[in-house]
Amino acid sequence: MTVKKNDNYISIKESRRIIRENIRKMKFYEAEKRRPKTLSEYTSPMRDNDNLIEIDGLKTCFFTDNGTVMSVNGVSFDIPKGKIVGVVGESGCGKSVTSLSVMQLVQAPQGQVVEGQIRFNSGELGKTPDGHDIAYDIAKTPTSEMYKIRGKDITMIFQEPMTSLNPVFTIGYQLDEVSFLHSPGISKEDAKKVSIDMLRKVGISMPEHTYESYPHELSGGMRQRVMIAMALAGDPKLIIADEPTTALDVTIQAQILELLRDLQKKEGCSIMLITHDLGVIAEMADEVVVMYAGRVIEKGTARDIFHNPLHPYTIGLQKSKPMINTDTTEPLYSIPGQVPNPINLPDTCYFRSRCGQCIGACSGKYPDGVQVTDTHWVSCYLYSDGKEKRANGGK
C-alpha cells in the first residue's frame, strides 16, 4: 500500500535552505532601502498626468520558513486625481498589503516589495520634455525620503482606531505631532489651532474637550473621526481608508462614510477605499478594483462592476450579499471551494477550482487581461475574444 505524500510537508534540510535563502534576500532588500540614491533612481514619468497613483506590476511577498508567500502578485491599477477608488475582495486577497505597499509600511524584513512600480504624482518634480509629470516611484524610494511623503501627501485611516491611537497620550498631543513633523518651526499654539480646526472639520462638536481627552474616553465613532482628522492634518493628496467602518455600528458607519465623501469633495483629494462590503463600494466608489488571491481579476467604473459584472468571482461576490428581496427560506449563497495556497500558487487561473464556468482554455496559463470596453477590464478566458459575455450564463 502506497502512502500519499503530503504536499505541505518539507524536510528539515529544505527548511534550512529556505531560511538561508530568505535571509540573503531580506538583507538585499533592506540594504536597498538604506542605500543613498540619486533622484533619478527613484523617479519615473507618469503614464497619464490625470492620475495621482499608477501601480504597475506590483509584487509584494513575505519570506516565511515554509516558503515565499506572494501576497500581491502583479497588481496594476490607477487612482485618478479627485476620485474614490474602491478595492474589494475577500479576506486575504491582498487589499491591505497593496495599501501598505503604497505607504511603504509592509512589515519588514519579512515583507518586501520585490517588483513593480508605484508612481506617485506629487506635482513637485516638474515634467519630462514630452510633457509627462515626473513622479516618485515609491517602490524604489529610500526610507529617508518616504518620511517626507508618508503622513503628509499620502495618509492612511486604519481599520481599528483603538489600536492605531496611543493610549498613553492625549488626542491633542498625537494630532500636534503631525504638524510638528511636517511643518518644521510651527509653534505649539499654531499646532494646537490646526488640530482643533481638524477636529471641528470632521464633525466633533466640542473639539477643545476632545483635544484634551485620551483615546479610551471616546466612543468608537469619535476615535475614527479623530483618525480622519489626523489623516487630513497634513493636507494630503491621497487618503487610504482601510476598512474604516468595520468596527462601528451601522448608524455610525453611515456617518463616517458621508463624512469621508464630503471631505473628499471639499479637499479635492483622492481616496483609496479598501473594504469587503459591496454596499459601501456601491455607495462611495467612482471606480472599482476586484482582487482575488493577490491579483486584480476585474476593474472598471462602479456602474460596470455592479450592472455588468463579468468575472465569475465578481458575480459570486454579488450573489453572496443578502438583498432586501431575497427569499428568506433559501440559504445565503457562498462561493464553493477554497483559495489556493499562496506559497504554491498554480500556473493556471487561481479561481479555476471554484469556477462553474470553466472552458478548455482555463487549463492553460494564467489568463491575460482583456479590455472589454474603454472603462472595463477583466482577466478571464470567457472574454479572451474581447466580447462581453455573461459569465453566469455563458452567453
Side-chain angles (χ1 to χ4, degrees), residues 141-157:
T141 301
T143 304
S144 57
E145 290 297 318
M146 194 62 197
Y147 288 145
K148 303 173 185 178
I149 300 173
R150 184 172 57 224
K152 182 178 184 292
D153 291 330
I154 305 177
T155 58
M156 193 164 185
I157 304 168

Side-chain angles (χ1 to χ4, degrees), residues 33 60-62 97 100-101 103-108 111-113:
K33 293 178 185 177
T60 303
C61 66
F62 290 88
V97 176
L100 292 173
S101 300
M103 291 287 287
Q104 215 178 87
L105 285 177
V106 179
Q107 187 174 5
Q112 298 288 344
V113 175

Side-chain angles (χ1 to χ4, degrees), residues 327-358:
D327 187 353
T328 56
T329 61
E330 294 185 8
L332 186 65
Y333 175 83
S334 63
I335 301 172
Q338 292 183 336
V339 180
N341 186 341
I343 294 178
N344 298 308
L345 289 169
D347 295 328
T348 58
C349 174
Y350 298 163
F351 193 64
R352 180 169 173 253
S353 62
R354 308 177 70 183
C355 181
Q357 299 293 327
C358 281

